[in-house]
């Protein structure tokens, strides 16, 4: 009876969400928020079959057949029931086959729709029970079109024509290669990974290497362990002819280990080049609080794509070059830092430690990350103008086509559009609007420390801003995060007066604005009606759009 009831309920649930198009996140520049697809409904919404349990542990076991580009594995999911459970949803890409699901030594039935797998237990699991079940599966996981933006497996060869494999799956979801509860808020407390590869190769995962065991058939299993909460998409595997390059970071008399992995022929360059990571970590700890994962270590791993922020296992593919790497050309770093090392390492704070509560708020990962790079240069050169120069260099990439924050609960990974560059400019602008640097730096640091290993929304950030400034900046958030429109400062000048107003803004938009009047800073409070102040004839007036993301527009009278 119980089971039939479950099936009926599940059928009702599945029928309730209509739409039959499968279309994963678009890539490249985006001009419109995507239509909600059936699969994104199933992945994005925490329905009762997902919210009824909390995953505590994943035990991931995968055997890689590199020649066939296929995997064969089983994953044990340990969880706590938050309600009485007959049926629950896990997620696994529909192109992968499930051979069986085992609970308490018995097979259980399951039903699949797109990437959702509805697991129907043989008996009710009561609320507040620790339980586990194991999913056996295999198949050919999707390849990566344009990693890391359009992810999947990169099956590649190194310079010596030897196999070199890596996975990146932010946005696509970890379900493209292993079964899990694939929602951004669901991180386990710890994870064990056992990756079995041909014995001539090394496989590298997140966290600490626990064992290396030779298997029959000339295969070797590398066992890795992460002793912290981790976002599913951060769990990764890299396979290649790796050697370790060991480094340490000493802080407060404690020695922290950094065992980087590079291809064997890059041992020398890796040893020298990856020293940069220590400076990056010190910078982030100074402004945003402690690195959260020292018990899992920190390592850079060379990969055959640009790079990705995999927690405690940051991947790197920028060619060991400050000026000529794949990314270095287009991402000015003033010759002092590799853009991939600083960007992906910074995500250990923005994204991995402080995670968006829904992927639509992912500017918290990317906008804050890019903005923090401007602060790195400001700190490094002890110069605000350098951070302004960095901000100006990224400004032309802003498009203002769609809001930075889109719909919630729709598996909408707002990684395209203006999440990165405009997100950074919004932070730069907010600092200028607040106009109190000590408070601004406290806002950033306290927000990161108080929410370490937590999940936050855009609103949470602005609550912190309000707490520290006493000002409600929701008008600011609504304009810059929820509308695509760039505020226009319209102005004109006569012999004796300067006139200004906001246009292209929400009704409630009241941001202050700084002008330079004959070289002296003057703060004005524009609204949507023209206001004016007196000036001497032929005054020189500049709109300080290097501090504010606004569009100055002279009106012809
Ligand atoms: Zn990023």
């Amino acid at each position: 009876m119980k089971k039939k009831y479950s099936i009926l309920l599940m059928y009702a649930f599945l029928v309730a969400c209509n739409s039959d198009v499968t279309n994963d996140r678009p890539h490249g520049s985006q001009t419109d928020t995507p239509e909600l697809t059936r699969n994104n409904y199933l992945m994005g919404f925490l329905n009762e079959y997902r919210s009824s349990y909390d995953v505590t542990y994943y035990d991931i076991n995968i055997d890689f057949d590199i020649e066939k580009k296929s995997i064969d594995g089983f994953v044990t999911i340990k969880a706590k029931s938050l309600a009485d459970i007959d049926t629950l949803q896990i997620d696994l890409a529909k192109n992968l086959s499930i051979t069986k699901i085992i609970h308490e030594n018995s097979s259980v039935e399951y039903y699949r729709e797109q990437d959702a797998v509805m697991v129907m237990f043989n008996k009710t699991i009561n609320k507040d029970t620790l339980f586990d079940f194991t999913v056996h599966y295999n198949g050919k996981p999707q390849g990566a079109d344009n990693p890391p933006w359009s992810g999947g497996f990169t099956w590649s060869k190194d310079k010596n024509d030897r196999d070199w494999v890596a996975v990146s799956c932010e946005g696509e979801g970890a379900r493209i290669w292993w079964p899990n509860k694939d929602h951004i808020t669901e991180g386990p407390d710890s994870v064990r990974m056992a990756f079995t590869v041909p014995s001539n190769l090394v496989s590298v995962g997140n966290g600490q290497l626990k064992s290396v065991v030779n298997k029959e058939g000339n295969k070797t299993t590398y066992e890795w362990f992460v002793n912290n909460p981790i976002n599913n998409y951060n769990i990764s595997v890299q396979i290649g002819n790796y050697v370790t390059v060991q480094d340490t970071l000493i802080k407060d008399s404690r020695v922290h280990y950094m065992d980087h992995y590079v291809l064997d022929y890059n041992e020398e360059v890796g040893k020298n080049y990856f020293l940069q990571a220590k400076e990056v970590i010190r910078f982030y700890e100074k402004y945003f609080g402690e690195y959260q994962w020292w018990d899992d270590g920190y390592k850079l791993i060379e990969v055959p794509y640009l790079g990705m922020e995999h927690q405690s296992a940051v991947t790197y593919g920028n060619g060991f070059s400050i000026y000529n790497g794949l990314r270095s050309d287009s991402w000015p770093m003033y010759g002092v830092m590799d853009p991939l090392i600083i960007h992906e390492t910074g995500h250990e704070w923005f994204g991995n430690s402080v995670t968006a509560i829904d992927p639509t708020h992912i500017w918290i990962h990317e906008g804050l990350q890019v903005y923090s790079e401007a602060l790195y240069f400001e700190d490094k050169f002890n110069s605000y103008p350098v951070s302004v120069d960095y901000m100006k260099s990224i400004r032309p990439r802003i498009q203002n086509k769609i809001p930075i924050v889109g719909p919630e609960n729709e598996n909408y990974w707002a990684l395209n559009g203006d999440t990165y560059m405009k997100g950074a400019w919004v932070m730069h602008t907010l600092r200028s609007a607040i106009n109190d640097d000590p408070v601004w730096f406290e806002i950033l640091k306290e927000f990161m420390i108080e929410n370490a290993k937590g999940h936050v929304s855009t609103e949470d950030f602005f609550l912190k801003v309000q707490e520290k400034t006493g000002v409600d900046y929701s008008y600011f958030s609504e304009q810059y995060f929820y509308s695509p429109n760039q505020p226009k400062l319209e102005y004109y000048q006569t012999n004796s007066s300067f006139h200004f107003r906001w246009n292209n803004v929400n009704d409630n938009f009241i941001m202050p604005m700084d002008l330079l009047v004959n070289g002296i800073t003057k703060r004005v409070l524009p609204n949507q009606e023209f206001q004016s102040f007196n000036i001497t004839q032929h005054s020189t007036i500049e709109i300080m759009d290097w501090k504010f993301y606004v569009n100055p527009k002279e009106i012809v009278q």
Side-chain angles (χ1 to χ4, degrees):
M1 276 310 283
K2 269 256 180 288
K3 176 165 283 176
K4 269 188 188 147
Y5 182 61
S6 290
I7 292 169
L8 272 176
L9 252 186
M10 186 181 67
Y11 181 73
F13 155 69
L14 293 172
V15 169
C17 9
N18 52 21
S19 169
D20 48 16
V21 192
T22 305
N23 180 17
D24 281 326
R25 103 183 133 92
H27 34 89
S29 109
Q30 188 177 319
T31 53
D32 214 351
T33 328
E35 290 283 303
L36 176 60
T37 64
R38 175 83 173 133
N39 202 40
N40 282 337
Y41 179 88
L42 292 167
M43 296 302 111
F45 180 56
L46 283 174
N47 61 58
E48 62 180 290
Y49 302 101
R50 304 174 97 191
S51 60
S52 58
Y53 70 102
D54 176 35
V55 175
T56 57
Y57 178 67
Y58 290 117
D59 188 317
I60 304 169
N61 302 268
I62 301 176
D63 195 328
F64 290 84
D65 186 331
I66 295 174
E67 214 164 285
K68 292 188 178 143
K69 299 182 179 173
S70 72
I71 58 178
D72 188 352
F74 61 95
V75 173
T76 298
I77 300 173
K78 289 192 179 177
K80 183 184 176 191
S81 54
L82 305 176
D84 290 351
I85 297 175
D86 296 316
T87 301
L88 58 70
Q89 177 186 332
I90 55 165
D91 309 303
L92 182 68
K94 63 184 177 194
N95 64 311
L96 297 175
S97 305
I98 294 176
T99 51
K100 59 184 173 186
I101 299 179
I102 304 290
H103 174 240
E104 294 184 346
N105 300 319
S106 304
S107 284
V108 296
E109 290 182 38
Y110 56 91
Y111 178 91
R112 303 184 73 174
E113 200 211 346
Q114 303 228 10
D115 290 351
V117 182
M118 306 302 285
V119 182
M120 296 174 282
F121 294 103
N122 297 325
K123 61 174 192 182
T124 302
I125 296 168
N126 293 325
K127 188 178 177 212
D128 294 327
T129 306
L130 290 170
F131 66 103
D132 63 74
F133 58 101
T134 301
V135 182
H136 296 255
Y137 72 106
N138 60 56
K140 293 187 178 193
Q142 83 176 55
D145 285 344
N146 182 25
W149 300 283
S150 178
F153 272 83
T154 301
W155 306 94
S156 175
K157 299 279 186 187
D158 69 14
K159 284 181 189 168
N160 290 341
D161 206 31
R162 301 168 301 181
D163 288 316
W164 193 18
V165 179
V167 68
S168 57
C169 59
E170 187 186 18
E172 290 76 18
R175 66 185 177 278
I176 66 167
W177 65 292
W178 57 280
N180 63 92
K181 181 172 161 186
D182 211 359
H183 191 273
I184 196 165
T185 56
E186 183 57 272
D189 303 328
S190 58
V191 183
R192 176 184 170 272
M193 291 148 271
F195 298 131
T196 302
V197 297
S199 292
N200 58 326
L201 298 168
V202 175
S203 86
V204 186
N206 312 67
Q208 301 283 359
L209 180 60
K210 292 293 182 191
S211 72
V212 180
V213 178
N214 290 325
K215 295 275 173 73
E216 38 179 86
N218 207 21
K219 292 201 151 193
T220 303
T221 300
Y222 290 79
E223 182 193 23
W224 294 86
F225 194 83
V226 170
N227 197 27
N228 275 293
I230 181 168
N231 297 334
N232 295 333
Y233 65 81
N234 270 314
I235 294 169
S236 69
V237 63
Q238 289 71 219
I239 304 166
N241 279 264
Y242 286 114
V243 294
T244 51
V245 167
Q246 294 181 324
D247 196 0
T248 55
L249 186 145
I250 299 169
K251 191 182 170 225
D252 302 332
S253 310
R254 282 195 64 194
V255 180
H256 299 299
Y257 293 93
M258 304 168 75
D259 295 338
H260 307 304
Y261 283 76
V262 291
L263 294 177
D264 46 10
Y265 51 74
N266 282 326
E267 188 172 0
E268 252 337 275
V269 66
K271 203 183 292 178
N272 299 314
Y273 200 82
F274 284 173
L275 293 173
Q276 294 177 65
K278 292 199 278 194
E279 183 179 327
V280 170
I281 290 170
R282 290 202 173 97
F283 162 74
Y284 281 105
E285 289 202 324
K286 178 177 170 184
Y287 283 89
F288 306 106
E290 302 273 308
Y291 178 75
Q292 294 293 310
W293 328 112
W294 280 127
D295 48 343
D296 290 329
Y298 168 92
K299 59 179 173 277
L300 289 163
I301 308 165
E302 187 182 359
V303 285
Y305 64 89
L306 189 56
M308 180 64 198
E309 67 247 35
H310 299 140
Q311 185 172 309
S312 76
V314 172
T315 57
Y316 176 84
N318 194 40
F320 305 100
S321 177
I322 294 271
Y323 284 111
N324 296 322
L326 283 174
R327 175 50 74 80
S328 307
D329 269 351
S330 60
W331 202 291
M333 291 276 143
Y334 308 100
V336 295
M337 180 51 66
D338 184 285
L340 259 291
I341 293 179
I342 187 167
H343 183 93
E344 307 305 343
T345 301
H347 279 309
E348 297 283 15
W349 283 259
F350 309 107
N352 298 356
S353 175
V354 178
T355 304
I357 201 160
D358 184 287
T360 200
H361 298 283
I362 211 156
W363 72 268
I364 292 162
H365 303 198
E366 301 298 351
L368 275 170
Q369 175 53 46
V370 173
Y371 177 64
S372 76
E373 290 155 28
L375 296 182
Y376 167 76
F377 297 117
E378 183 170 336
D379 182 83
K380 172 100 181 165
F381 297 109
N382 191 23
S383 165
Y384 175 71
V386 178
S387 73
V388 170
D389 188 70
Y390 177 81
M391 295 306 297
K392 288 184 71 160
S393 76
I394 63 173
R395 187 166 170 144
R397 299 197 212 171
I398 300 175
Q399 301 185 50
N400 296 315
K401 296 251 171 64
I402 53 168
I404 294 173
V405 179
E408 290 184 342
N409 301 319
E410 297 189 2
N411 194 35
Y412 172 58
W413 289 72
L415 283 164
N416 303 291
D418 287 337
T419 300
Y420 290 72
M421 306 310 174
K422 188 172 175 182
W425 259 96
V426 174
M427 291 297 102
H428 183 61
T429 304
L430 184 57
R431 174 186 182 177
S432 306
I434 291 172
N435 202 24
D436 184 335
D437 277 355
V439 165
W440 173 243
F441 287 109
E442 279 171 30
I443 289 170
L444 293 178
K445 193 166 187 173
E446 287 179 19
F447 179 71
M448 295 304 291
I449 290 173
E450 287 165 8
N451 294 298
K453 299 185 181 177
H455 294 86
V456 292
S457 66
T458 304
E459 290 66 41
D460 292 324
F461 181 79
F462 281 92
L463 282 174
K464 185 73 205 171
V465 173
Q466 183 165 3
E467 177 202 317
K468 297 296 291 183
T469 61
V471 177
D472 179 1
Y473 279 93
S474 48
Y475 77 85
F476 182 98
S477 166
E478 284 163 23
Q479 182 69 45
Y480 280 113
F481 284 112
Y482 290 90
S483 150
N485 300 328
Q486 183 188 23
K488 212 179 260 186
L489 192 79
E490 294 182 340
Y491 66 93
Y492 64 92
Q493 189 170 340
T494 69
N495 281 341
S496 60
S497 58
F498 182 82
H499 301 251
F500 57 91
R501 73 168 181 190
W502 288 129
N503 202 349
N504 202 36
V505 294
N506 296 337
D507 284 346
N508 62 351
F509 189 71
I510 50 163
M511 185 175 75
M513 183 67 211
D514 291 342
L515 313 174
L516 268 183
V517 181
N518 297 318
I520 305 289
T521 302
K522 179 179 175 66
R523 174 152 289 208
V524 293
L525 300 171
N527 54 37
Q528 290 180 75
E529 302 298 326
F530 272 113
Q531 301 176 60
S532 65
F533 55 83
N534 294 334
I535 54 172
T536 53
Q537 200 174 1
H538 304 309
S539 283
T540 297
I541 298 177
E542 281 188 272
I543 316 293
M544 295 173 75
D545 64 343
W546 58 91
K547 291 176 73 176
F548 293 82
Y549 189 64
V550 302
N551 178 19
K553 182 88 184 144
E554 186 166 11
I555 303 294
V556 181
Q557 285 300 294

Short mmCIF file of all heavy atoms in Angstrom, two decimals, residues 15-50:
data_model
loop_
_atom_site.label_atom_id
_atom_site.label_comp_id
_atom_site.label_asym_id
_atom_site.label_seq_id
_atom_site.Cartn_x
_atom_site.Cartn_y
_atom_site.Cartn_z
N VAL A 15 3.71 15.03 -13.08
CA VAL A 15 2.78 15.61 -14.04
C VAL A 15 2.62 17.11 -13.79
O VAL A 15 2.44 17.89 -14.71
CB VAL A 15 1.41 14.89 -13.97
CG1 VAL A 15 0.36 15.64 -14.76
CG2 VAL A 15 1.56 13.47 -14.51
N ALA A 16 2.75 17.49 -12.51
CA ALA A 16 2.52 18.88 -12.16
C ALA A 16 3.49 19.83 -12.85
O ALA A 16 3.17 20.98 -13.12
CB ALA A 16 2.61 19.06 -10.65
N CYS A 17 4.70 19.35 -13.12
CA CYS A 17 5.67 20.25 -13.74
C CYS A 17 5.66 20.01 -15.25
O CYS A 17 6.07 18.98 -15.71
CB CYS A 17 7.05 20.00 -13.17
SG CYS A 17 7.19 18.57 -12.13
N ASN A 18 5.13 20.96 -15.98
CA ASN A 18 4.99 20.73 -17.41
C ASN A 18 6.08 21.47 -18.18
O ASN A 18 6.58 22.48 -17.78
CB ASN A 18 3.62 21.18 -17.89
CG ASN A 18 3.35 22.59 -17.45
OD1 ASN A 18 4.27 23.32 -17.15
ND2 ASN A 18 2.09 22.97 -17.37
N SER A 19 6.42 20.98 -19.27
CA SER A 19 7.49 21.46 -20.15
C SER A 19 8.28 20.22 -20.51
O SER A 19 8.53 19.37 -19.68
CB SER A 19 8.41 22.46 -19.48
OG SER A 19 9.52 22.68 -20.32
N ASP A 20 8.64 20.10 -21.76
CA ASP A 20 9.29 18.86 -22.15
C ASP A 20 10.61 19.09 -22.86
O ASP A 20 11.19 18.19 -23.39
CB ASP A 20 8.35 18.04 -23.03
CG ASP A 20 7.76 18.88 -24.12
OD1 ASP A 20 8.30 19.96 -24.37
OD2 ASP A 20 6.77 18.48 -24.71
N VAL A 21 11.06 20.31 -22.85
CA VAL A 21 12.29 20.58 -23.57
C VAL A 21 13.47 20.44 -22.62
O VAL A 21 13.44 20.93 -21.52
CB VAL A 21 12.29 22.03 -24.11
CG1 VAL A 21 13.43 22.22 -25.09
CG2 VAL A 21 10.96 22.36 -24.71
N THR A 22 14.46 19.72 -23.05
CA THR A 22 15.69 19.66 -22.26
C THR A 22 16.66 20.64 -22.88
O THR A 22 16.94 20.60 -24.04
CB THR A 22 16.33 18.27 -22.34
OG1 THR A 22 15.35 17.35 -21.94
CG2 THR A 22 17.52 18.17 -21.45
N ASN A 23 17.13 21.52 -22.06
CA ASN A 23 18.08 22.50 -22.57
C ASN A 23 18.90 22.98 -21.40
O ASN A 23 18.39 23.70 -20.56
CB ASN A 23 17.32 23.65 -23.23
CG ASN A 23 18.27 24.69 -23.78
OD1 ASN A 23 19.45 24.41 -23.95
ND2 ASN A 23 17.74 25.87 -24.02
N ASP A 24 20.13 22.55 -21.34
CA ASP A 24 20.94 22.98 -20.21
C ASP A 24 21.37 24.41 -20.41
O ASP A 24 21.03 25.03 -21.38
CB ASP A 24 22.11 22.01 -20.01
CG ASP A 24 21.64 20.77 -19.29
OD1 ASP A 24 20.74 20.93 -18.45
OD2 ASP A 24 22.11 19.68 -19.59
N ARG A 25 22.13 24.91 -19.45
CA ARG A 25 22.38 26.35 -19.44
C ARG A 25 23.04 26.80 -20.73
O ARG A 25 23.92 26.14 -21.25
CB ARG A 25 23.20 26.70 -18.19
CG ARG A 25 24.66 26.95 -18.38
CD ARG A 25 25.27 27.20 -17.04
NE ARG A 25 26.48 26.45 -16.87
CZ ARG A 25 27.68 26.94 -17.17
NH1 ARG A 25 27.81 28.14 -17.64
NH2 ARG A 25 28.74 26.20 -17.01
N PRO A 26 22.59 27.92 -21.25
CA PRO A 26 23.21 28.43 -22.46
C PRO A 26 24.60 28.96 -22.16
O PRO A 26 24.90 29.28 -21.03
CB PRO A 26 22.28 29.57 -22.86
CG PRO A 26 21.67 30.01 -21.59
CD PRO A 26 21.60 28.82 -20.71
N HIS A 27 25.43 29.01 -23.16
CA HIS A 27 26.74 29.61 -22.90
C HIS A 27 27.01 30.72 -23.90
O HIS A 27 26.28 30.95 -24.83
CB HIS A 27 27.83 28.56 -22.89
CG HIS A 27 27.64 27.42 -23.84
ND1 HIS A 27 28.08 27.44 -25.12
CD2 HIS A 27 27.00 26.24 -23.66
CE1 HIS A 27 27.77 26.29 -25.69
NE2 HIS A 27 27.12 25.56 -24.85
N GLY A 28 28.09 31.42 -23.65
CA GLY A 28 28.37 32.60 -24.44
C GLY A 28 27.58 33.74 -23.87
O GLY A 28 27.04 33.67 -22.79
N SER A 29 27.51 34.82 -24.61
CA SER A 29 26.83 35.96 -24.06
C SER A 29 25.34 35.74 -24.11
O SER A 29 24.80 35.15 -25.02
CB SER A 29 27.27 37.21 -24.80
OG SER A 29 26.24 37.68 -25.59
N GLN A 30 24.68 36.22 -23.09
CA GLN A 30 23.28 35.87 -22.93
C GLN A 30 22.45 37.14 -23.00
O GLN A 30 22.79 38.14 -22.42
CB GLN A 30 23.13 35.21 -21.56
CG GLN A 30 21.77 34.63 -21.31
CD GLN A 30 21.77 33.94 -19.96
OE1 GLN A 30 22.72 33.26 -19.59
NE2 GLN A 30 20.71 34.14 -19.21
N THR A 31 21.37 37.08 -23.73
CA THR A 31 20.55 38.28 -23.86
C THR A 31 19.19 38.11 -23.22
O THR A 31 18.42 39.03 -23.13
CB THR A 31 20.34 38.64 -25.35
OG1 THR A 31 19.84 37.49 -26.00
CG2 THR A 31 21.64 39.09 -25.98
N ASP A 32 18.89 36.91 -22.79
CA ASP A 32 17.59 36.69 -22.20
C ASP A 32 17.70 35.60 -21.13
O ASP A 32 18.53 34.71 -21.25
CB ASP A 32 16.61 36.22 -23.29
CG ASP A 32 15.22 36.74 -23.01
OD1 ASP A 32 15.02 37.29 -21.91
OD2 ASP A 32 14.35 36.57 -23.87
N THR A 33 16.88 35.70 -20.09
CA THR A 33 16.86 34.64 -19.10
C THR A 33 16.18 33.44 -19.75
O THR A 33 15.17 33.60 -20.43
CB THR A 33 16.05 35.09 -17.88
OG1 THR A 33 16.20 36.49 -17.73
CG2 THR A 33 16.56 34.45 -16.64
N PRO A 34 16.74 32.23 -19.58
CA PRO A 34 16.18 31.08 -20.32
C PRO A 34 14.79 30.68 -19.83
O PRO A 34 14.44 30.92 -18.68
CB PRO A 34 17.19 29.97 -20.04
CG PRO A 34 17.90 30.39 -18.81
CD PRO A 34 17.88 31.88 -18.75
N GLU A 35 14.03 30.08 -20.73
CA GLU A 35 12.73 29.50 -20.37
C GLU A 35 12.97 28.36 -19.38
O GLU A 35 13.97 27.66 -19.46
CB GLU A 35 12.08 28.90 -21.61
CG GLU A 35 11.61 29.91 -22.63
CD GLU A 35 10.31 30.57 -22.20
OE1 GLU A 35 9.33 29.84 -21.96
OE2 GLU A 35 10.31 31.82 -22.08
N LEU A 36 12.03 28.20 -18.46
CA LEU A 36 12.15 27.09 -17.51
C LEU A 36 11.85 25.78 -18.23
O LEU A 36 10.77 25.60 -18.79
CB LEU A 36 11.18 27.28 -16.35
CG LEU A 36 11.15 26.13 -15.34
CD1 LEU A 36 12.52 25.90 -14.71
CD2 LEU A 36 10.11 26.39 -14.26
N THR A 37 12.83 24.89 -18.22
CA THR A 37 12.61 23.58 -18.83
C THR A 37 12.19 22.59 -17.76
O THR A 37 12.35 22.84 -16.56
CB THR A 37 13.90 23.06 -19.49
OG1 THR A 37 14.87 22.85 -18.46
CG2 THR A 37 14.45 24.03 -20.52
N ARG A 38 11.70 21.49 -18.24
CA ARG A 38 11.29 20.40 -17.35
C ARG A 38 12.46 19.96 -16.45
O ARG A 38 12.32 19.81 -15.24
CB ARG A 38 10.83 19.24 -18.23
CG ARG A 38 10.50 18.01 -17.47
CD ARG A 38 9.11 18.10 -16.93
NE ARG A 38 8.74 16.85 -16.33
CZ ARG A 38 8.17 16.75 -15.16
NH1 ARG A 38 7.90 17.85 -14.47
NH2 ARG A 38 7.83 15.58 -14.67
N ASN A 39 13.61 19.76 -17.08
CA ASN A 39 14.74 19.26 -16.30
C ASN A 39 15.22 20.29 -15.28
O ASN A 39 15.55 19.95 -14.15
CB ASN A 39 15.90 18.86 -17.23
CG ASN A 39 16.83 17.87 -16.55
OD1 ASN A 39 16.39 16.97 -15.84
ND2 ASN A 39 18.12 18.05 -16.75
N ASN A 40 15.20 21.56 -15.67
CA ASN A 40 15.63 22.58 -14.72
C ASN A 40 14.62 22.74 -13.59
O ASN A 40 14.98 23.13 -12.48
CB ASN A 40 15.88 23.91 -15.43
CG ASN A 40 17.22 23.90 -16.14
OD1 ASN A 40 18.10 23.13 -15.77
ND2 ASN A 40 17.36 24.72 -17.17
N TYR A 41 13.36 22.45 -13.87
CA TYR A 41 12.37 22.42 -12.78
C TYR A 41 12.73 21.31 -11.80
O TYR A 41 12.78 21.51 -10.58
CB TYR A 41 10.96 22.20 -13.34
CG TYR A 41 9.92 22.14 -12.24
CD1 TYR A 41 9.32 23.30 -11.78
CD2 TYR A 41 9.59 20.93 -11.64
CE1 TYR A 41 8.40 23.26 -10.74
CE2 TYR A 41 8.67 20.87 -10.61
CZ TYR A 41 8.08 22.04 -10.17
OH TYR A 41 7.17 21.99 -9.14
N LEU A 42 13.02 20.14 -12.35
CA LEU A 42 13.34 18.99 -11.50
C LEU A 42 14.62 19.22 -10.70
O LEU A 42 14.75 18.79 -9.55
CB LEU A 42 13.50 17.73 -12.35
CG LEU A 42 12.23 17.20 -13.01
CD1 LEU A 42 12.57 16.16 -14.07
CD2 LEU A 42 11.29 16.60 -11.96
N MET A 43 15.59 19.91 -11.30
CA MET A 43 16.89 20.12 -10.64
C MET A 43 16.89 21.36 -9.73
O MET A 43 17.63 21.42 -8.76
CB MET A 43 18.00 20.28 -11.69
CG MET A 43 18.25 19.06 -12.55
SD MET A 43 18.68 17.60 -11.57
CE MET A 43 17.22 16.60 -11.83
N GLY A 44 16.07 22.35 -10.08
CA GLY A 44 16.20 23.64 -9.40
C GLY A 44 15.37 23.78 -8.14
O GLY A 44 15.70 24.57 -7.26
N PHE A 45 14.29 23.02 -8.07
CA PHE A 45 13.32 23.21 -7.00
C PHE A 45 13.53 22.16 -5.92
O PHE A 45 13.68 20.97 -6.22
CB PHE A 45 11.91 23.11 -7.60
CG PHE A 45 10.80 23.28 -6.60
CD1 PHE A 45 10.73 24.41 -5.81
CD2 PHE A 45 9.83 22.30 -6.47
CE1 PHE A 45 9.70 24.57 -4.89
CE2 PHE A 45 8.79 22.45 -5.55
CZ PHE A 45 8.74 23.59 -4.76
N LEU A 46 13.56 22.58 -4.67
CA LEU A 46 13.70 21.62 -3.57
C LEU A 46 12.32 21.10 -3.18
O LEU A 46 11.71 21.56 -2.22
CB LEU A 46 14.40 22.27 -2.37
CG LEU A 46 15.92 22.45 -2.52
CD1 LEU A 46 16.48 23.24 -1.35
CD2 LEU A 46 16.63 21.10 -2.64
N ASN A 47 11.82 20.16 -3.98
CA ASN A 47 10.50 19.58 -3.69
C ASN A 47 10.59 18.69 -2.45
O ASN A 47 11.68 18.48 -1.90
CB ASN A 47 10.01 18.79 -4.91
CG ASN A 47 10.95 17.65 -5.24
OD1 ASN A 47 11.20 16.79 -4.42
ND2 ASN A 47 11.50 17.66 -6.46
N GLU A 48 9.45 18.15 -2.04
CA GLU A 48 9.43 17.37 -0.79
C GLU A 48 10.28 16.10 -0.86
O GLU A 48 10.68 15.57 0.17
CB GLU A 48 7.98 17.00 -0.44
CG GLU A 48 7.34 16.13 -1.50
CD GLU A 48 5.90 15.77 -1.15
OE1 GLU A 48 5.68 15.00 -0.22
OE2 GLU A 48 5.02 16.27 -1.86
N TYR A 49 10.56 15.62 -2.07
CA TYR A 49 11.37 14.41 -2.21
C TYR A 49 12.87 14.71 -2.08
O TYR A 49 13.70 13.82 -2.06
CB TYR A 49 11.09 13.74 -3.57
CG TYR A 49 9.63 13.38 -3.72
CD1 TYR A 49 8.77 14.18 -4.48
CD2 TYR A 49 9.11 12.27 -3.07
CE1 TYR A 49 7.43 13.88 -4.57
CE2 TYR A 49 7.76 11.95 -3.16
CZ TYR A 49 6.92 12.76 -3.90
OH TYR A 49 5.60 12.47 -3.99
N ARG A 50 13.18 16.00 -2.05
CA ARG A 50 14.58 16.41 -1.87
C ARG A 50 14.78 17.06 -0.49
O ARG A 50 15.81 16.88 0.13
CB ARG A 50 14.98 17.39 -2.97
CG ARG A 50 14.76 16.84 -4.36
CD ARG A 50 15.03 17.92 -5.40
NE ARG A 50 16.37 17.81 -5.95
CZ ARG A 50 16.95 18.73 -6.71
NH1 ARG A 50 16.29 19.84 -7.00
NH2 ARG A 50 18.15 18.56 -7.18
#
